Amino acid sequence: MSVLRRTAIAFFAAVTVLPFLYMLLLSVKPVEQLLADPGGLWPREATWSTYHDVLLPASSGGQGFLRMLGNSALVSLAAVALALLAAVPGAYAVARLRFFGRRRVGVLFLALYLFPATLLAVPLFVIFARLGLQGSLGGLAVVYVAQTVPVSVHMLRNYFATVPRGVEEAAALDGCSRPQTVCRVVLPLAAPSLAATGLYVFVIAWNEFLFALLFLVAEPGKWTVSLGLQQLAGGVEVPKTVLMAGSVVLTVPVVVLFLAAERLLAEGLTSGADRG
């Protein structure tokens, strides 16, 4: 490995790890020590009371992040399930079926990302308010599905295009219909790509703030963790150590998921890379 490559890896690792390490160290630092030595990095003695304050319910004097974590997990998992449910047949159709405008569908899907999210915020808010889904976690999950399905179709299409047609033809000769072929043959082969796409959708839904604020601002009991973190950031009376603890609580689940799905994620992101 060349010196330049080692240096580049070390640089990007430091840029990635050091901010999270500083946030973690600050979250376990007693607020008295922080006030006495604002520039100090290592705490003389660690305290976990900040995490207790963050996770404790608001009725008990805490910030209620435990409930917000549950809300975020519910919305994110629902968004993943619905997005994959919509993206799998769409991606397979674009990759395998012949129809007019098939080559332009992917371009049209990705063109939706040329429009800023703020442009869609007001129309979606009006539509969901008329449907009675304002302040609903289910409605918020549907919004995230609308945001993530286009790129999910694009990611899965590239993988489905690499699956040999002979495998599907063999399944057809064995008496499988096309839906059975997709469920029994294509999807098991596409597990890495499904994992990568699902993780992408989960991260988007977990960290999203604008639509969560727009739909749930009047329902504190249904707030997601991103809304709770913004509340901590805007609170003058909240110590910065508690804010850092909330940031760690927001970040750790995503990091754990990335580490757990590292192999599938790498395979899914590189699969189909040579196909347009």
Side-chain angles (χ1 to χ4, degrees):
M1 185 181 294
S2 64
V3 177
L4 181 61
R5 185 178 181 184
R6 290 176 183 270
T7 304
I9 292 176
F11 172 76
F12 286 113
V15 170
T16 304
V17 174
L18 287 180
F20 182 77
L21 178 61
Y22 178 75
M23 180 173 64
L24 180 61
L25 292 175
L26 196 60
S27 68
V28 298
K29 194 173 186 179
V31 65
E32 297 82 5
Q33 183 181 342
L34 177 63
L35 295 175
D37 185 17
L41 179 60
W42 297 96
R44 288 189 294 270
E45 58 179 59
T47 176
W48 301 100
S49 61
T50 50
Y51 291 92
H52 182 267
D53 294 340
V54 164
L55 297 176
L56 200 66
S59 58
S60 301
Q63 303 299 331
F65 264 49
L66 189 60
R67 183 171 185 175
M68 296 177 194
L69 285 171
N71 292 339
S72 291
L74 181 62
V75 171
S76 301
L77 292 175
V80 170
L82 293 175
L84 290 181
L85 189 64
V88 165
Y92 182 83
V94 174
R96 282 292 188 256
L97 304 183
R98 302 289 179 180
F99 55 89
F100 177 75
R102 182 175 68 92
R103 294 183 177 275
R104 298 180 178 84
V105 169
V107 177
L108 292 176
F109 277 156
L110 293 180
L112 295 175
Y113 284 85
L114 296 175
F115 301 96
T118 52
L119 190 65
L120 304 176
V122 174
L124 285 175
F125 179 80
V126 173
I127 292 173
F128 277 76
R130 291 182 178 179
L131 293 176
L133 295 177
Q134 179 187 359
S136 166
L137 294 177
L140 185 61
V142 173
V143 172
Y144 293 156
V145 171
Q147 281 187 300
T148 56
V149 160
V151 72
S152 299
V153 169
H154 180 74
M155 293 172 65
L156 291 174
R157 180 199 66 173
N158 288 340
Y159 188 88
F160 289 155
T162 65
V163 176
R165 291 182 179 272
V167 176
E168 299 180 40
E169 292 171 357
L173 291 176
D174 289 338
C176 292
S177 62
R178 189 178 291 274
Q180 289 175 328
T181 301
V182 173
C183 294
R184 298 180 181 180
V185 177
V186 177
L187 291 186
L189 293 174
S193 185
L194 291 173
T197 305
L199 187 57
Y200 163 80
V201 175
F202 184 90
V203 171
I204 293 296
W206 183 269
N207 293 322
E208 202 279 331
F209 172 74
L210 175 62
F211 288 104
L213 175 66
L214 189 64
F215 282 83
L216 303 177
V217 64
E219 300 287 343
K222 298 180 180 179
W223 281 8
T224 59
V225 70
S226 60
L227 284 178
L229 189 62
Q230 176 61 29
Q231 181 192 27
L232 291 183
V236 179
E237 72 284 356
V238 178
K240 296 306 177 185
T241 53
V242 176
L243 175 61
M244 292 299 102
S247 301
V248 172
V249 169
L250 173 65
T251 307
V252 164
V254 177
V255 174
V256 171
L257 278 178
F258 267 97
L259 293 177
E262 179 183 3
R263 182 179 61 83
L264 289 176
L265 181 62
E267 293 179 9
L269 290 177
T270 56
S271 61
D274 57 337
R275 300 295 297 263

